[in-house]
Amino acid sequence: MIERRYTLQIHIAGIFFVVVSILSILLIVLSYQNSKALNHQLATERTEQNVEQVKLSFQRLIAPVTTSLDALAVSGYGQDPSSSNNTTWLATINAIMAKNPDVLSIYLGYPDEQSAFVRSTSAAFMRQQFSTPDNSHIMVDINKANGHQERTYYDANLSYIGSDVNKIDYLPTTRPWYEVAPTDGGIHITDPYFYFFIQRMGITLSRQLPGNLGVIAADITLASLSNFLATLTDSPDTQLLLLDENKNIIAHNGFLSHADAASPNERLSSMARSPLNQLYAASELTELTRNVEHIDQTWMLSLVHIKFAGGKGLWLAKAIPEQQLIGSALNARNNQVAISALVLLLGTLMVLWASAQIAKPLKLLGKETQKIRNLDFLNISLPTSSIAEVKTLSESIGVMADTISGFLDTLHRVSNSSNFDSLLNDIVFHCHHASGADYVLMWTTSSEDSNALSLTACYPQNADDKTIDIGMLVAESPEISNALECQQFFSFTPSSTDIQRGFFPADLKRAWILPLNNRENESVGYVLVGFNRNVPDHQEEKIHFITQFLGFASLIKENWDRVAAQKLLFKSFVELMASAIDTKSPYTGGHCQRVPELTFMLANAASNDTKDFPDFTLDEQSQEALYFAAWLHDCGKVTTPEYVVDKATKLETIYNRIHEIRTRFEVLKRDAEIRYWKKRIEGENVADLDRWLSEEHKALDADFAFIAKHNLGSEFMDNQNITRLEEIASRTWYRTIDDMQGLSWEEEDRRQLRQEKTLPCKEHVITNKLDHQIPWLPQQLETFKNWEFKLPIPELQYNRGELHNLSIQRGTLTNEERFIINDHIIQTIKMLRKLPYPSHLQRVPEIAGGHHEKLDGKGYPYGLDETNLSVDARIMAIADIFEALTASDRPYKKAKTLSEAMKILAFMAKDKHIDPKLFRLFIEQKVYLRYAESFLPQSQQDTVDEQALLAMITPKEKAEPAAVT
């Protein structure tokens, strides 16, 4: 294992820093822990002192009242309930309450259900609770057994103020204070409870009168205990809580501001926000001391049991923020940290200053490596040093900088270039630069034939004249073959035999052969690095780097082959799709294949024209987008029914329905003959009948000839022709067979829309029937809800009415069928939008879907005008129209000659249906002529008057007004 070395500066500064840091940390930690433990011990001792202070305070609160109750019990005060109004006894009780402000009332209860209450009303809350006069100081209630109550008020001087008489339902013998009074003369102290009348916490003391003649009791509030707890706090944030054995809150401090008047719910709510709640919520109380987390702060909790001689016990809970508890320890620790940091900083600076001169060359070298890290390879100036290690490191960094720079340059070219040969030439150059070889040759396999090797790249450029047959060399040299199969390089010195056999040039002294393998470990080529001199040992060490670098070339080759295969696959699929569309209809065969040819002829002319189309360039990516758009411009035709596309006559659906009408006329002619023979049998004149039959047959033949003629759609149907057609349609014949027989369920559903007729029934020879009207399917109507196109939607999907179709004025298509035909461009857009495209092919749907738009905005499907129509779509529009005009395979029209097609395009350019500028290029660059020579028969290639066509599309200049003389 290589021992790791550091500079002297790092050694000295590092050792000093580590040693001083460890000592400082140990001292700080020990000092802090000792201070913290001492503060915790002091806090525990302070809590124990608080326990004794609370015990003493509670005894001070109870003891005077206990003595007073014993004195009153054995005196004559309790012998008569009315003695409570006695001035002497009243003064005595007033003195007891004045000495003990926590005593709120002293009262008597007797077995005969009489009772007497003496209450202090000096406190405002007592006057408010019992609605006494403002100057009331003492209130006396004398309650009789019959429910009669007399309430008397006295002022501070015990002078009579007034009295009230009330009814009260009060039975003292049923009260807890009466029932629990000990029979042995002892005093019972209740657990703390909440006085609902005065909204205060307190306790009740009670004892039996001598001879069990009754019970005397006193109510004491615990407000003084809460005030006393405030004197026991160690800090402003300290919280104290005094509980009995049943978790009743006797007193508290620090978490409830209005403790005297707080209700139990308010206390519990405040408790929930206090760290003491963790003790209060425990299943049982037990002495403990621990730290807890509460609202992002650490608290020290203590719970101590306070034992009294009488068996009663209280619990004192205390919570102190640890920050305040160990504040002194923290301050000491922080001071020690600051002092240690200062000493460490000053000492480190001194050590660094002392070793700076030794480490200066390394610092300069570090700055240069910083430039390398920032990929700045142009301004690197490596320092020189007499230290051998520094010098070696400087040279290594220089080589590394050159290598990284060359690698990043190649990587940059890879990410910005799509030229495979150029990328491999870059890689060969960097191999030459890194190895210092005289020449580097790279052979790669063909994507079609993995066994065919060809020289792909070399450096220098004249190295391709080296007569090296790498395939034969690998095949006939077992050592080389075995090494390359194991994906290892092979370094060797050519033998004289190899040179004589023509494997290597005569001047080759040393050679490296390195394999190129893809990720499937398949061989994709070889690289030969040749030296015309002996190679030093340190140069051989670079083979490993070159091997790794050439792995990048293998990856490029593999990815390039895959990209090329995917492009070829997609291109073949596109051409397959277009071929399938052309094959679908024999009448449009070749259209999808000829339009791309014409499109690119015109696109190249526009790309070379800097006058009218300076911004239109046909680079590799735009060529690819236009190629796919041109081949797929009619892909939506796969959804168009063939019998609509190929509709050659007006009555044609899947077959020409003229035959049905011909049969009906045959029936009419037979009916005429039947009537003829019937009349002859009846004895009518034979000559007249012969003449009538001949005229009737001629009329029927003429009517059918008229229908057959206009079924072709080659002549315009004016109103006169339509009127005659309607007259012919008025002819009737009789049907005697049920026409519901032999129908599909769909046709039968439409047939039932007609009312049933009793056979035989009369029918018109040409008719429009309800079942001829084929509505849109629900799923088709759903697609029309968010219709983004400006192509009007007909009410019906098809209208196959015979009279309706024969009345078409131009061509053979109804409005419904015209929509179906035009809908192919919408389907083209929808189909192409579903394909995931790379960024440069994103416009394929827009280009392919715009070749039926017009510059005047009257095209479809979006009605785009010249401000929104791209040049690519305009080019395709001209190519599509010109190909359709000159195509010789359309059933509904004859192919136009070259001059006829160009004249039609000229009128369209004049009317702003196509781009006049592009049409001008179409003429001037002889695009139409080159297309005709390649795709049109000689019979269509007549002479075109180019000047006349250009004159048609050239706007006439307004004549300037003559000068006035």
Side-chain angles (χ1 to χ4, degrees):
M1 182 177 179
I2 299 176
E3 182 180 359
R4 186 173 295 176
R5 294 185 175 89
Y6 301 96
T7 63
L8 180 62
Q9 185 181 18
I10 297 299
H11 269 95
I12 296 174
I15 292 173
F16 174 83
F17 184 86
V18 171
V19 171
V20 175
S21 296
I22 292 175
L23 290 176
S24 299
I25 292 173
L26 287 176
L27 291 175
I28 292 170
V29 170
L30 291 175
S31 175
Y32 173 71
Q33 294 296 335
N34 290 336
S35 299
K36 184 178 179 180
L38 179 61
N39 288 339
H40 275 279
Q41 182 179 357
L42 292 175
T44 303
E45 293 175 356
R46 182 67 182 272
T47 302
E48 293 176 356
Q49 295 176 3
N50 294 155
V51 169
E52 297 300 324
Q53 290 171 331
V54 170
K55 183 187 294 185
L56 180 61
S57 175
F58 192 77
Q59 291 174 346
R60 287 176 181 174
L61 177 65
I62 301 299
V65 181
T66 303
T67 304
S68 298
L69 281 183
D70 286 337
L72 289 174
V74 299
S75 68
Y77 167 69
Q79 296 178 3
D80 183 8
S82 60
S83 61
S84 296
N85 281 321
N86 183 283
T87 305
T88 302
W89 289 113
L90 199 59
T92 300
I93 294 174
N94 184 46
I96 293 173
M97 291 182 174
K99 186 68 176 176
N100 302 282
D102 291 320
V103 178
L104 294 181
S105 61
I106 298 176
Y107 43 95
L108 297 163
Y110 298 93
D112 61 357
E113 304 301 346
Q114 293 189 80
S115 59
F117 287 80
V118 180
R119 294 186 176 91
S120 172
T121 59
S122 59
F125 68 88
M126 291 292 288
R127 291 196 300 272
Q128 181 180 1
Q129 183 65 35
F130 291 98
S131 302
T132 66
D134 293 340
N135 59 343
S136 172
H137 184 71
I138 293 289
M139 181 180 74
V140 180
D141 288 342
I142 305 298
N143 303 319
K144 300 297 183 180
N146 59 3
H148 179 81
Q149 182 191 66
E150 181 180 359
R151 176 171 290 175
T152 307
Y153 306 103
Y154 300 92
D155 61 13
N157 297 321
L158 302 182
S159 299
Y160 175 79
I161 297 176
S163 62
D164 296 330
V165 177
N166 302 302
K167 291 293 289 181
I168 187 172
D169 183 13
Y170 186 80
L171 301 177
T173 60
T174 63
R175 300 294 175 173
W177 58 269
Y178 189 96
E179 294 175 346
V180 300
T183 58
D184 59 356
I187 293 179
H188 179 270
I189 303 175
T190 66
D191 292 331
Y193 63 94
F194 190 72
Y195 295 146
F196 286 99
F197 276 103
I198 60 175
Q199 298 292 305
R200 295 291 188 278
M201 288 294 296
I203 58 175
T204 299
L205 283 66
S206 62
R207 64 154 290 170
Q208 289 276 1
L209 295 174
N212 296 329
L213 298 178
V215 176
I216 185 170
D219 288 340
I220 305 174
T221 65
L222 300 178
S224 61
L225 280 181
S226 295
N227 296 332
F228 175 73
L229 290 182
T231 64
L232 303 181
T233 57
D234 299 324
S235 66
D237 294 329
T238 300
Q239 298 183 12
L240 295 168
L241 181 66
L242 192 62
L243 305 169
D244 65 3
E245 296 287 354
N246 297 320
K247 292 187 182 180
N248 294 312
I249 300 175
I250 297 175
H252 48 80
N253 176 263
F255 63 91
L256 187 63
S257 59
H258 52 292
D260 292 341
S263 66
N265 290 334
E266 290 178 315
R267 295 185 184 200
L268 292 176
S269 176
S270 299
M271 177 68 71
R273 298 188 295 271
S274 169
L276 293 172
N277 189 54
Q278 299 191 34
L279 299 175
Y280 186 77
S283 58
E284 60 181 13
L285 299 176
T286 179
E287 291 189 343
L288 57 84
T289 298
R290 68 180 183 188
N291 289 345
V292 298
E293 295 295 327
H294 181 73
I295 312 178
D296 300 330
Q297 189 176 6
T298 302
W299 295 72
M300 177 182 176
L301 297 186
S302 299
L303 182 63
V304 183
H305 191 218
I306 306 174
K307 298 179 181 178
F308 296 97
K312 295 287 184 179
L314 297 177
W315 293 87
L316 177 63
K318 187 175 184 180
I320 307 174
E322 189 180 45
Q323 184 70 24
Q324 297 179 3
L325 182 65
I326 61 173
S328 60
L330 290 174
N331 292 333
R333 182 197 63 185
N334 294 338
N335 291 335
Q336 290 173 350
V337 170
I339 293 173
S340 298
L342 181 61
V343 171
L344 184 62
L345 177 62
L346 292 175
T348 303
L349 290 176
M350 292 176 64
V351 171
L352 291 174
W353 177 81
S355 58
Q357 299 302 319
I358 301 175
K360 186 176 180 180
L362 294 177
K363 290 183 179 180
L364 295 175
L365 192 58
K367 292 181 180 179
E368 298 307 313
T369 57
Q370 180 69 27
K371 294 179 183 179
I372 297 175
R373 190 174 69 177
N374 295 333
L375 305 182
D376 180 10
F377 301 102
L378 299 178
N379 302 312
I380 295 178
S381 177
L382 298 175
T384 57
S385 174
S386 58
I387 301 175
E389 293 82 0
V390 176
K391 183 178 181 181
T392 302
L393 179 62
S394 178
E395 293 175 351
S396 299
I397 290 177
V399 175
M400 179 184 68
D402 291 340
T403 303
I404 295 176
S405 176
F407 182 80
L408 291 179
D409 182 60
T410 301
L411 191 63
H412 176 74
R413 291 176 62 86
V414 168
S415 61
N416 292 277
S417 174
S418 58
N419 191 317
F420 175 63
D421 294 335
S422 175
L423 293 177
L424 294 185
N425 282 325
D426 287 341
I427 292 175
V428 167
F429 167 75
H430 289 301
C431 288
H432 176 272
H433 180 71
S435 64
D438 292 286
Y439 52 87
V440 179
L441 304 174
M442 178 185 289
W443 292 268
T444 59
T445 59
S446 171
S447 58
E448 290 81 11
D449 184 2
S450 59
N451 295 320
L453 288 169
S454 61
L455 186 63
T456 309
C458 61
Y459 192 87
Q461 295 300 323
N462 59 0
D464 57 357
D465 61 355
K466 304 296 181 181
T467 55
I468 300 176
D469 190 340
I470 190 68
M472 183 178 297
L473 176 65
V474 173
E476 297 188 8
S477 176
E479 293 182 355
I480 297 177
S481 178
N482 292 335
L484 297 179
E485 286 181 2
C486 297
Q487 301 181 27
Q488 298 176 354
F489 67 87
F490 188 77
S491 177
F492 65 100
T493 300
S495 64
S496 57
T497 303
D498 292 336
I499 295 176
Q500 291 175 358
R501 296 177 63 187
F503 287 161
F504 304 105
D507 55 356
L508 183 64
K509 303 298 182 184
R510 187 72 175 167
W512 303 338
I513 297 181
L514 302 101
L516 296 178
N517 294 88
N518 60 20
R519 283 173 287 190
E520 283 74 28
N521 294 327
E522 298 172 346
S523 176
V524 293
Y526 305 98
V527 173
L528 184 140
V529 181
F531 299 88
N532 295 335
R533 64 191 184 283
N534 293 325
V535 181
D537 294 338
H538 71 273
Q539 196 75 359
E540 295 275 352
E541 297 175 357
K542 297 180 180 179
I543 293 181
H544 180 70
F545 168 76
I546 295 175
T547 301
Q548 299 299 321
F549 187 72
L550 287 177
F552 189 56
S554 301
L555 184 62
I556 293 175
K557 177 69 169 67
E558 179 183 0
N559 290 340
W560 192 266
D561 288 344
R562 289 184 177 181
V563 170
Q566 289 175 355
K567 285 186 176 182
L568 180 60
L569 175 63
F570 185 55
K571 179 180 178 182
S572 300
F573 176 78
V574 167
E575 294 179 359
L576 176 67
M577 184 75 171
S579 177
I581 295 170
D582 286 341
T583 305
K584 178 183 177 184
S585 172
Y587 301 115
T588 59
H591 171 76
C592 293
Q593 301 176 42
R594 292 191 293 266
V595 167
E597 296 288 344
L598 183 55
T599 297
F600 272 91
M601 289 181 184
L602 184 55
N604 286 321
S607 178
N608 296 327
D609 183 271
T610 58
K611 177 183 177 183
D612 294 326
F613 302 97
D615 299 327
F616 180 77
T617 56
L618 204 60
D619 56 17
E620 183 178 354
Q621 291 188 341
S622 59
Q623 274 188 354
E624 190 173 10
L626 185 59
Y627 174 86
F628 290 130
W631 275 92
L632 294 173
H633 77 284
D634 273 346
C635 67
K637 284 185 177 179
V638 298
T639 65
T640 307
E642 294 178 31
Y643 65 87
V644 177
V645 177
D646 302 339
K647 188 179 181 186
T649 63
K650 296 180 180 180
L651 290 175
E652 185 174 344
T653 53
I654 297 179
Y655 70 99
N656 192 348
R657 293 181 294 163
I658 191 66
H659 305 299
E660 293 184 12
I661 297 177
R662 179 185 296 109
T663 302
R664 295 171 197 163
F665 273 88
E666 291 286 358
V667 171
L668 289 177
K669 292 179 75 174
R670 300 299 183 276
D671 287 345
E673 291 180 0
I674 292 171
R675 287 197 300 272
Y676 166 80
W677 287 109
K678 284 183 178 180
K679 289 180 180 181
R680 283 193 63 172
I681 292 172
E682 291 172 358
E684 292 189 18
N685 186 277
V686 175
D688 292 339
L689 289 176
D690 289 342
R691 185 170 54 255
W692 171 82
L693 180 60
S694 176
E695 291 175 355
E696 185 68 13
H697 280 184
K698 290 180 179 179
L700 289 172
D701 289 340
D703 287 348
F704 179 76
F706 178 83
I707 294 171
K709 175 183 178 183
H710 290 284
N711 183 41
L712 299 177
S714 57
E715 296 189 13
F716 177 72
M717 285 289 290
D718 55 17
N719 292 333
Q720 182 178 355
N721 290 332
I722 292 176
T723 300
R724 184 180 175 188
L725 188 64
E726 292 173 348
E727 291 174 353
I728 296 172
S730 63
R731 288 182 178 272
T732 59
W733 63 288
Y734 283 90
R735 176 172 57 83
T736 62
I737 300 176
D738 185 4
D739 62 356
M740 288 285 288
Q741 300 180 37
L743 303 182
S744 67
W745 65 268
E746 184 180 16
E747 189 177 1
E748 185 177 346
D749 286 345
R750 293 200 305 270
R751 173 63 183 83
Q752 289 178 351
L753 296 176
R754 286 192 277 158
Q755 296 180 354
E756 292 296 334
K757 293 182 180 180
T758 304
L759 297 176
C761 64
K762 182 189 296 184
E763 290 195 0
H764 292 278
V765 70
I766 306 173
T767 183
N768 291 330
K769 298 179 180 180
L770 289 176
D771 50 314
H772 285 151
Q773 299 179 9
I774 301 177
W776 293 103
L777 298 176
Q779 57 268 31
Q780 292 173 317
L781 293 174
E782 190 69 24
T783 62
F784 297 150
K785 287 185 178 180
N786 299 318
W787 193 248
E788 62 179 288
F789 306 101
K790 293 187 177 180
L791 194 62
I793 304 171
E795 183 179 353
L796 299 173
Q797 183 181 7
Y798 295 106
N799 188 337
R800 293 174 179 166
E802 297 166 345
L803 185 60
H804 176 77
N805 277 263
L806 287 170
S807 299
I808 298 172
Q809 292 186 320
R810 292 184 182 275
T812 62
L813 299 178
T814 62
N815 290 335
E816 294 80 9
E817 292 165 339
R818 179 66 62 185
F819 175 80
I820 296 297
I821 291 291
N822 293 343
D823 182 62
H824 84 276
I825 195 64
I826 295 176
Q827 300 306 318
T828 294
I829 294 173
K830 289 183 177 180
M831 290 169 64
L832 293 180
R833 282 178 178 174
K834 293 180 180 179
L835 297 177
Y837 298 101
S839 58
H840 70 285
L841 297 180
Q842 293 290 332
R843 292 181 57 242
V844 167
E846 177 259 325
I847 298 172
H851 69 277
H852 283 298
E853 301 285 359
K854 299 179 181 179
L855 268 64
D856 60 358
K858 295 180 180 179
Y860 65 91
Y862 288 108
L864 303 177
D865 57 18
E866 58 183 329
T867 60
N868 300 315
L869 199 57
S870 66
V871 176
D872 309 77
R874 301 182 192 193
I875 291 172
M876 281 194 56
I878 294 177
D880 187 71
I881 296 171
F882 185 76
E883 194 284 331
L885 290 173
T886 57
S888 58
D889 46 16
R890 305 301 166 92
Y892 44 81
K893 69 174 186 65
K894 293 182 179 181
K896 303 291 184 184
T897 63
L898 203 55
S899 60
E900 290 173 338
M902 293 294 288
K903 187 174 182 180
I904 293 173
L905 283 178
F907 280 112
M908 295 181 73
K910 180 181 179 182
D911 295 336
K912 302 288 280 189
H913 291 175
I914 61 175
D915 191 337
K917 295 179 182 178
L918 282 174
F919 184 62
R920 180 181 296 276
L921 275 180
F922 195 66
I923 298 171
E924 294 177 346
Q925 299 299 321
K926 310 293 184 182
V927 175
Y928 74 95
L929 193 56
R930 284 186 280 122
Y931 174 82
E933 292 171 351
S934 299
F935 296 99
L936 297 186
Q938 194 65 37
S939 58
Q940 287 182 249
Q941 299 183 34
D942 59 349
T943 303
V944 176
D945 188 348
E946 294 183 354
Q947 297 304 318
L949 296 176
L950 293 174
M952 288 178 62
I953 64 173
T954 302
K956 296 181 179 180
E957 297 182 358
K958 294 183 179 180
E960 295 184 1
V964 180
T965 56

